[in-house]
Amino acid sequence: ADCPLFDCGVLFVMTTCDIPDELITAFKQFKKSRKTKRAFIIKVNMEELIVEEECVVEDIEDIAEFAEEELPESAPRFIVYSGEYTHRDGRKSYPMLFIYYSPPTTIALNTLYVSTKSRLTDKMQMMKICMVRDIDDFTEEWLQGELGPKV
């Protein structure tokens, strides 16, 4: 055929990861606790092609410090951050933010994360979704901007 991909012997297949019920159950437990300043970190298991809970981090006082200590420099992660936002009139809200952390990595790994993200956010019923490429972008100012209402 005339397809250059076929002639090169390369075939691109969009692969996506399974989202086990256990992960959604663990997330619901995380959400139910109603605690703030904590993160539910999810990673892709490349061998089994599933997404799985990596850990829950409690009592996050500094988002930059959290990113430095908990996130790998060259592997993506999905993070659900349970935050607190103070509105201009003094009211407080407690939004959850889905963060797709995507540092430079292999095309294969990045493709797995990208192809899984929207199915995962749908299953988790996440409304606030953002992406961060550089670990240095995790700042308190950035976080408050993402947690607050979009104008």
Side-chain angles (χ1 to χ4, degrees):
D2 293 322
C3 175
L5 292 178
F6 184 77
D7 290 341
C8 295
V10 176
L11 179 62
F12 287 98
V13 179
M14 188 66 152
T15 307
T16 188
C17 295
D18 285 334
I19 302 169
D21 292 339
E22 302 84 57
L23 177 73
I24 301 304
T25 301
F27 170 68
K28 286 178 180 175
Q29 289 299 319
F30 171 84
K31 191 174 175 180
K32 214 186 269 189
S33 79
R34 300 220 181 247
K35 293 180 188 171
T36 61
K37 296 187 176 184
R38 54 200 300 250
F40 184 84
I41 303 176
I42 302 164
K43 69 177 183 176
V44 166
N45 179 324
M46 292 276 294
E47 293 172 10
E48 297 181 37
L49 292 180
I50 62 169
V51 288
E52 58 191 19
E53 177 184 346
E54 184 170 40
C55 65
V56 172
V57 179
E58 304 278 353
D59 304 317
I60 299 169
E61 292 302 322
D62 183 318
I63 195 72
E65 189 176 297
F66 155 78
E68 286 278 323
E69 292 176 5
E70 302 293 336
L71 300 177
E73 284 183 28
S74 60
R77 290 294 184 269
F78 297 126
I79 304 143
V80 178
Y81 181 80
S82 175
E84 178 179 298
Y85 180 79
T86 304
H87 297 266
R88 289 181 186 164
D89 62 5
R91 290 178 300 117
K92 290 189 183 230
S93 60
Y94 303 94
M96 291 223 171
L97 176 64
F98 185 94
I99 305 164
Y100 169 36
Y101 169 59
S102 177
T105 188
T106 65
I107 292 172
L109 187 56
N110 198 41
T111 300
L112 280 174
Y113 274 85
V114 168
S115 66
T116 304
K117 183 181 78 137
S118 77
R119 286 184 36 254
L120 182 59
T121 56
D122 287 348
K123 276 196 165 198
M124 297 172 108
Q125 299 178 325
M126 295 300 303
M127 302 305 235
K128 291 184 175 281
I129 301 166
C130 66
M131 184 169 87
V132 175
R133 289 197 183 277
D134 189 328
I135 206 159
D136 293 335
D137 290 341
F138 282 94
T139 65
E140 202 58 39
E141 183 179 333
W142 164 83
L143 179 64
Q144 289 305 308
E146 292 295 334
L147 290 172
K150 296 297 174 200
V151 188

